[in-house]
């Protein structure tokens, strides 16, 4: 029997699509939704399922930013073929994204038992939501928002890419929240920080989804829920990306900070009351 049904896959696909790129923690929200639907959050197949449906959200990024990604890949190909083309920012940026993905891959493989075990607890999610809110608030307030996307450097990419480890180890911290906060601390403006978060998330999230596919199917999740969840997350994520880029161009991250604190406090209350299983 499948661990996750079609209806549950639709719900989780919507949650994934809405929250993957908003700085509110998709992993945290997925675990909360799973807990409310009595799906075991620490089940290996369930953990794998959530990683696989992220591919739908990643596909939305590929479609939405197709022209940018094509520009990067083209510049990278030209640079590999012709050394005189290697001074372009697009060529170097593509390499930076590759290098910046290495830390999270190493930690992800080394800490896999912890990530799928003790760190999968909703207590960790609730605490990380609140702590991450404080980091985001400070970064938005202290960052000078003076640098644009063209001003990014290798150091920026490595620091922002490495910050994804926080979300990997502490579900609820938010990959988007960690990367955007780090970029803001480096004085990038909100739109540049958001776009950088998108691009740096592409290799890590795609790789995680493909890596976990075997565990999701082999662990008891039928192919149909996987396909449905992935398709739903794609559609919803595309709309979420378009909305987020317009929002950050004119607003601070305060709304996300308040929301995260409220959700974290609610989860603590539900856990304490025994409504949610940890």
């Amino acid at each position: 029997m499948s661990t996750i049904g079609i209806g549950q896959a639709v719900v989780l696909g919507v949650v994934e699509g809405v929250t993957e790129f908003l700085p509110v923690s998709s992993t945290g929200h997925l675990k909360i939704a799973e807990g409310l639907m009595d799906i075991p959050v620490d089940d290996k197949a369930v953990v794998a399922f959530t990683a696989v449906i992220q591919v739908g959200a990643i596909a939305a990024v590929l479609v939405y930013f197709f022209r940018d990604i094509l520009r990067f890949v083209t510049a990278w190909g030209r640079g590999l073929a012709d050394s005189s083309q290697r001074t372009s920012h697009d060529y170097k940026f593509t390499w930076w994204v590759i290098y910046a993905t290495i830390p999270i891959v190493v930690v992800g493989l080394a800490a896999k038992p912890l990530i799928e075990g003790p760190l999968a607890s909703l207590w960790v999610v609730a605490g990380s939501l609140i702590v991450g809110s404080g980091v985001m608030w400070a970064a938005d307030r202290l960052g000078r928002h003076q640098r644009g996307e063209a001003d990014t450097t290798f150091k920026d990419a490595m620091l922002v890419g490495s910050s994804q480890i926080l979300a990997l180890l502490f579900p609820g911290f938010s990959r988007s929240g960690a990367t955007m906060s780090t970029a803001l601390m480096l004085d990038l403006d909100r739109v540049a920080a958001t776009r950088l978060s998108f691009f740096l998330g592409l290799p890590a999230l795609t790789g995680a989804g493909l890596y976990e596919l075997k565990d999701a199917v082999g662990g008891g999740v039928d192919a149909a829920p996987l396909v449905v969840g992935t398709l739903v997350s794609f559609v919803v994520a595309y709309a979420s990306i378009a909305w987020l880029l317009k929002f950050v161009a004119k607003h601070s991250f305060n709304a996300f900070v308040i929301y995260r604190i409220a959700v974290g406090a609610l989860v603590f209350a539900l856990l304490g009351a025994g409504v949610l299983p940890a």
Side-chain angles (χ1 to χ4, degrees), residues 128-139 185 257 260-261:
S128 299
L129 276 166
I130 294 174
V131 172
S133 299
V135 174
M136 187 183 303
W137 179 84
M185 290 178 185
V257 171
R260 289 170 57 107
I261 292 173

Side-chain angles (χ1 to χ4, degrees), residues 1 55-56 85 128 233 235 241:
M1 182 178 293
V55 176
Q85 300 292 319
S128 299
S233 73
V235 174
I241 292 167

Side-chain angles (χ1 to χ4, degrees), residues 139-188:
D140 202 20
R141 282 294 184 90
L142 299 176
R144 291 180 289 179
H145 312 287
Q146 293 178 336
R147 302 168 58 211
E149 188 175 332
D151 301 316
T152 53
T153 64
F154 173 68
K155 176 183 175 182
D156 295 330
M158 289 303 297
L159 289 174
V160 175
S162 296
S163 70
Q164 296 177 105
I165 294 172
L166 287 171
L168 185 67
L169 296 178
F170 305 105
F173 201 96
S174 171
R175 188 203 65 81
S176 295
T179 52
M180 291 178 191
S181 295
T182 303
L184 290 172
M185 290 178 185
L186 295 169
D187 297 328
L188 270 70

Side-chain angles (χ1 to χ4, degrees), residues 48-113:
F49 175 87
T50 59
V52 172
I53 64 172
Q54 286 177 338
V55 176
I58 288 298
V61 174
L62 292 173
V63 173
Y64 192 91
F65 292 106
F66 178 76
R67 291 183 180 179
D68 293 291
I69 294 170
L70 180 62
R71 190 181 80 241
F72 293 139
V73 173
T74 300
W76 189 60
R78 287 174 179 168
L80 291 177
D82 182 357
S83 60
S84 67
Q85 300 292 319
R86 296 174 187 174
T87 57
S88 76
H89 186 271
D90 288 345
Y91 170 79
K92 291 185 286 187
F93 182 78
T94 307
W95 273 118
W96 298 344
V97 170
I98 295 172
Y99 295 146
T101 304
I102 295 174
I104 192 173
V105 171
V106 172
V107 174
L109 293 175
K112 197 169 187 288

